[in-house]
Short mmCIF file of all heavy atoms in Angstrom, two decimals:
data_model
loop_
_atom_site.label_atom_id
_atom_site.label_comp_id
_atom_site.label_asym_id
_atom_site.label_seq_id
_atom_site.Cartn_x
_atom_site.Cartn_y
_atom_site.Cartn_z
N ARG A 1 89.73 26.55 22.48
CA ARG A 1 90.00 26.83 23.89
C ARG A 1 89.02 26.08 24.80
O ARG A 1 87.89 25.79 24.41
CB ARG A 1 89.88 28.34 24.17
CG ARG A 1 90.91 29.17 23.42
CD ARG A 1 90.71 30.66 23.76
NE ARG A 1 91.50 31.51 22.90
CZ ARG A 1 92.75 31.89 23.16
NH1 ARG A 1 93.32 31.49 24.28
NH2 ARG A 1 93.40 32.66 22.31
N PHE A 2 89.48 25.80 26.00
CA PHE A 2 88.62 25.15 26.98
C PHE A 2 87.58 26.13 27.49
O PHE A 2 87.85 27.33 27.65
CB PHE A 2 89.45 24.64 28.16
CG PHE A 2 90.20 23.36 27.87
CD1 PHE A 2 91.52 23.40 27.50
CD2 PHE A 2 89.55 22.12 27.97
CE1 PHE A 2 92.21 22.22 27.22
CE2 PHE A 2 90.23 20.95 27.69
CZ PHE A 2 91.56 21.00 27.32
N VAL A 3 86.39 25.63 27.78
CA VAL A 3 85.32 26.40 28.41
C VAL A 3 84.95 25.65 29.69
O VAL A 3 84.62 24.46 29.64
CB VAL A 3 84.08 26.52 27.49
CG1 VAL A 3 83.01 27.36 28.18
CG2 VAL A 3 84.47 27.13 26.14
N VAL A 4 85.01 26.34 30.83
CA VAL A 4 84.77 25.68 32.11
C VAL A 4 83.64 26.40 32.85
O VAL A 4 83.38 27.58 32.65
CB VAL A 4 86.03 25.69 33.00
CG1 VAL A 4 87.15 24.92 32.34
CG2 VAL A 4 86.49 27.12 33.34
N LYS A 5 82.97 25.66 33.72
CA LYS A 5 82.01 26.26 34.65
C LYS A 5 82.69 26.36 36.00
O LYS A 5 83.51 25.52 36.37
CB LYS A 5 80.74 25.41 34.76
CG LYS A 5 79.75 25.66 33.62
CD LYS A 5 78.42 24.96 33.85
CE LYS A 5 77.63 25.55 35.01
NZ LYS A 5 77.15 26.94 34.72
N LEU A 6 82.32 27.39 36.77
CA LEU A 6 82.88 27.55 38.10
C LEU A 6 82.36 26.41 39.00
O LEU A 6 81.14 26.18 39.06
CB LEU A 6 82.49 28.90 38.70
CG LEU A 6 82.93 30.14 37.90
CD1 LEU A 6 82.47 31.42 38.62
CD2 LEU A 6 84.44 30.15 37.71
N PRO A 7 83.26 25.69 39.67
CA PRO A 7 82.83 24.56 40.51
C PRO A 7 82.31 25.05 41.86
O PRO A 7 83.06 25.27 42.81
CB PRO A 7 84.10 23.75 40.67
CG PRO A 7 85.22 24.74 40.57
CD PRO A 7 84.74 25.82 39.64
N LEU A 8 81.00 25.26 41.95
CA LEU A 8 80.40 25.84 43.16
C LEU A 8 79.81 24.76 44.06
O LEU A 8 79.19 23.79 43.60
CB LEU A 8 79.30 26.81 42.76
CG LEU A 8 79.73 27.97 41.84
CD1 LEU A 8 78.53 28.86 41.52
CD2 LEU A 8 80.85 28.78 42.46
N LYS A 9 79.99 24.94 45.36
CA LYS A 9 79.42 24.03 46.36
C LYS A 9 77.93 24.34 46.57
O LYS A 9 77.13 23.44 46.84
CB LYS A 9 80.13 24.18 47.71
CG LYS A 9 81.61 23.99 47.70
CD LYS A 9 82.16 24.29 49.12
CE LYS A 9 83.67 24.28 49.15
NZ LYS A 9 84.19 24.64 50.50
N ASN A 10 77.60 25.63 46.53
CA ASN A 10 76.23 26.08 46.79
C ASN A 10 75.71 26.92 45.63
O ASN A 10 76.49 27.42 44.83
CB ASN A 10 76.19 26.93 48.08
CG ASN A 10 76.82 26.24 49.27
OD1 ASN A 10 77.91 26.64 49.70
ND2 ASN A 10 76.19 25.21 49.77
N HIS A 11 74.41 27.08 45.60
CA HIS A 11 73.81 27.94 44.57
C HIS A 11 74.24 29.39 44.80
O HIS A 11 74.24 29.86 45.96
CB HIS A 11 72.28 27.82 44.59
CG HIS A 11 71.65 28.42 43.37
ND1 HIS A 11 71.33 29.77 43.29
CD2 HIS A 11 71.27 27.87 42.18
CE1 HIS A 11 70.79 30.01 42.11
NE2 HIS A 11 70.74 28.87 41.42
N PRO A 12 74.61 30.13 43.76
CA PRO A 12 75.11 31.50 43.94
C PRO A 12 74.07 32.48 44.51
O PRO A 12 74.42 33.61 44.82
CB PRO A 12 75.56 31.90 42.54
CG PRO A 12 74.87 30.97 41.61
CD PRO A 12 74.72 29.68 42.36
N SER A 13 72.83 32.06 44.64
CA SER A 13 71.81 32.94 45.21
C SER A 13 72.13 33.27 46.67
O SER A 13 71.59 34.24 47.22
CB SER A 13 70.43 32.28 45.13
OG SER A 13 70.43 31.03 45.79
N VAL A 14 73.04 32.51 47.31
CA VAL A 14 73.41 32.78 48.70
C VAL A 14 74.41 33.94 48.81
O VAL A 14 74.68 34.43 49.90
CB VAL A 14 74.01 31.53 49.38
CG1 VAL A 14 73.06 30.35 49.30
CG2 VAL A 14 75.37 31.15 48.76
N LEU A 15 74.93 34.39 47.67
CA LEU A 15 75.94 35.46 47.70
C LEU A 15 75.31 36.80 48.04
O LEU A 15 74.20 37.13 47.57
CB LEU A 15 76.65 35.55 46.34
CG LEU A 15 77.53 34.37 45.95
CD1 LEU A 15 78.01 34.50 44.51
CD2 LEU A 15 78.73 34.27 46.90
N PRO A 16 75.99 37.62 48.85
CA PRO A 16 75.47 38.95 49.21
C PRO A 16 75.69 39.96 48.11
O PRO A 16 76.44 39.68 47.14
CB PRO A 16 76.29 39.31 50.45
CG PRO A 16 77.61 38.63 50.20
CD PRO A 16 77.29 37.34 49.50
N ASP A 17 75.10 41.11 48.24
CA ASP A 17 75.31 42.21 47.30
C ASP A 17 76.65 42.89 47.64
O ASP A 17 76.76 43.56 48.68
CB ASP A 17 74.16 43.20 47.38
CG ASP A 17 74.31 44.38 46.42
OD1 ASP A 17 75.29 44.37 45.65
OD2 ASP A 17 73.46 45.28 46.44
N THR A 18 77.63 42.73 46.80
CA THR A 18 78.97 43.30 47.07
C THR A 18 79.24 44.56 46.24
O THR A 18 80.37 45.03 46.18
CB THR A 18 80.07 42.27 46.79
OG1 THR A 18 79.95 41.81 45.44
CG2 THR A 18 79.96 41.09 47.74
N LYS A 19 78.19 45.08 45.64
CA LYS A 19 78.37 46.23 44.75
C LYS A 19 78.91 47.45 45.50
O LYS A 19 79.84 48.13 45.06
CB LYS A 19 77.01 46.56 44.11
CG LYS A 19 77.08 47.45 42.89
CD LYS A 19 75.69 47.54 42.26
CE LYS A 19 75.70 48.46 41.04
NZ LYS A 19 74.35 48.56 40.45
N GLY A 20 78.35 47.72 46.68
CA GLY A 20 78.79 48.86 47.47
C GLY A 20 80.22 48.73 47.96
O GLY A 20 81.02 49.68 47.89
N ILE A 21 80.59 47.54 48.46
CA ILE A 21 81.94 47.31 48.93
C ILE A 21 82.93 47.47 47.79
O ILE A 21 84.00 48.08 47.93
CB ILE A 21 82.07 45.89 49.53
CG1 ILE A 21 81.16 45.73 50.73
CG2 ILE A 21 83.51 45.58 49.91
CD1 ILE A 21 81.10 44.31 51.28
N THR A 22 82.59 46.93 46.63
CA THR A 22 83.45 46.99 45.48
C THR A 22 83.68 48.44 45.02
O THR A 22 84.80 48.83 44.66
CB THR A 22 82.88 46.17 44.31
OG1 THR A 22 82.73 44.81 44.73
CG2 THR A 22 83.78 46.21 43.09
N TYR A 23 82.62 49.26 45.09
CA TYR A 23 82.74 50.66 44.71
C TYR A 23 83.67 51.41 45.67
O TYR A 23 84.52 52.21 45.24
CB TYR A 23 81.37 51.34 44.67
CG TYR A 23 81.42 52.79 44.27
CD1 TYR A 23 82.05 53.19 43.10
CD2 TYR A 23 80.88 53.77 45.10
CE1 TYR A 23 82.11 54.53 42.73
CE2 TYR A 23 80.92 55.11 44.74
CZ TYR A 23 81.54 55.48 43.58
OH TYR A 23 81.61 56.81 43.21
N GLU A 24 83.54 51.15 46.97
CA GLU A 24 84.40 51.81 47.96
C GLU A 24 85.86 51.41 47.74
O GLU A 24 86.77 52.24 47.85
CB GLU A 24 83.96 51.45 49.38
CG GLU A 24 82.63 52.06 49.78
CD GLU A 24 82.61 53.57 49.67
OE1 GLU A 24 83.58 54.21 50.11
OE2 GLU A 24 81.63 54.12 49.14
N ARG A 25 86.10 50.14 47.43
CA ARG A 25 87.47 49.68 47.19
C ARG A 25 88.02 50.33 45.91
O ARG A 25 89.22 50.64 45.83
CB ARG A 25 87.49 48.14 47.07
CG ARG A 25 87.11 47.42 48.37
CD ARG A 25 88.32 47.07 49.20
NE ARG A 25 89.10 46.03 48.58
CZ ARG A 25 88.94 44.72 48.81
NH1 ARG A 25 87.99 44.29 49.64
NH2 ARG A 25 89.72 43.83 48.21
N PHE A 26 87.15 50.49 44.91
CA PHE A 26 87.61 51.10 43.68
C PHE A 26 87.98 52.58 43.89
O PHE A 26 88.96 53.07 43.31
CB PHE A 26 86.54 50.97 42.57
CG PHE A 26 86.96 51.58 41.26
CD1 PHE A 26 88.02 51.02 40.55
CD2 PHE A 26 86.34 52.70 40.75
CE1 PHE A 26 88.45 51.59 39.35
CE2 PHE A 26 86.75 53.26 39.56
CZ PHE A 26 87.81 52.69 38.85
N LYS A 27 87.23 53.28 44.72
CA LYS A 27 87.56 54.67 45.01
C LYS A 27 88.92 54.78 45.71
O LYS A 27 89.66 55.75 45.51
CB LYS A 27 86.47 55.31 45.86
CG LYS A 27 85.18 55.59 45.09
CD LYS A 27 84.26 56.57 45.81
CE LYS A 27 83.74 56.01 47.12
NZ LYS A 27 82.77 56.94 47.77
N THR A 28 89.27 53.78 46.51
CA THR A 28 90.59 53.74 47.13
C THR A 28 91.69 53.65 46.09
O THR A 28 92.73 54.30 46.17
CB THR A 28 90.70 52.55 48.12
OG1 THR A 28 89.69 52.67 49.11
CG2 THR A 28 92.07 52.50 48.78
N ILE A 29 91.45 52.82 45.07
CA ILE A 29 92.40 52.68 43.97
C ILE A 29 92.56 54.03 43.23
O ILE A 29 93.68 54.45 42.91
CB ILE A 29 91.95 51.59 42.97
CG1 ILE A 29 92.07 50.19 43.60
CG2 ILE A 29 92.75 51.66 41.67
CD1 ILE A 29 93.50 49.73 43.76
N GLU A 30 91.44 54.69 43.00
CA GLU A 30 91.50 55.97 42.28
C GLU A 30 92.28 57.01 43.08
O GLU A 30 92.99 57.86 42.51
CB GLU A 30 90.07 56.48 41.99
CG GLU A 30 89.38 55.66 40.92
CD GLU A 30 88.08 56.30 40.44
OE1 GLU A 30 87.30 56.74 41.31
OE2 GLU A 30 87.84 56.33 39.24
#
C-alpha cells in the first residue's frame, strides 16, 4: 500500500487546540 505524508503549507504548530470544539460537536451527535 502507498504511504503518504500530509502536504502542509505551514508547520502544524500553528494549529489551535480543537479538543473542546470537537467534544461539543460529539455531544451533539450523541
Side-chain angles (χ1 to χ4, degrees):
R1 298 179 190 270
F2 283 97
V3 182
V4 299
K5 279 188 68 68
L6 301 180
L8 303 180
K9 304 176 187 177
N10 308 108
H11 193 274
S13 59
V14 304
L15 292 172
D17 181 2
T18 57
K19 197 173 178 181
I21 298 173
T22 300
Y23 180 55
E24 291 303 315
R25 295 266 290 269
F26 181 65
K27 288 197 295 184
T28 301
I29 290 289
E30 289 190 315

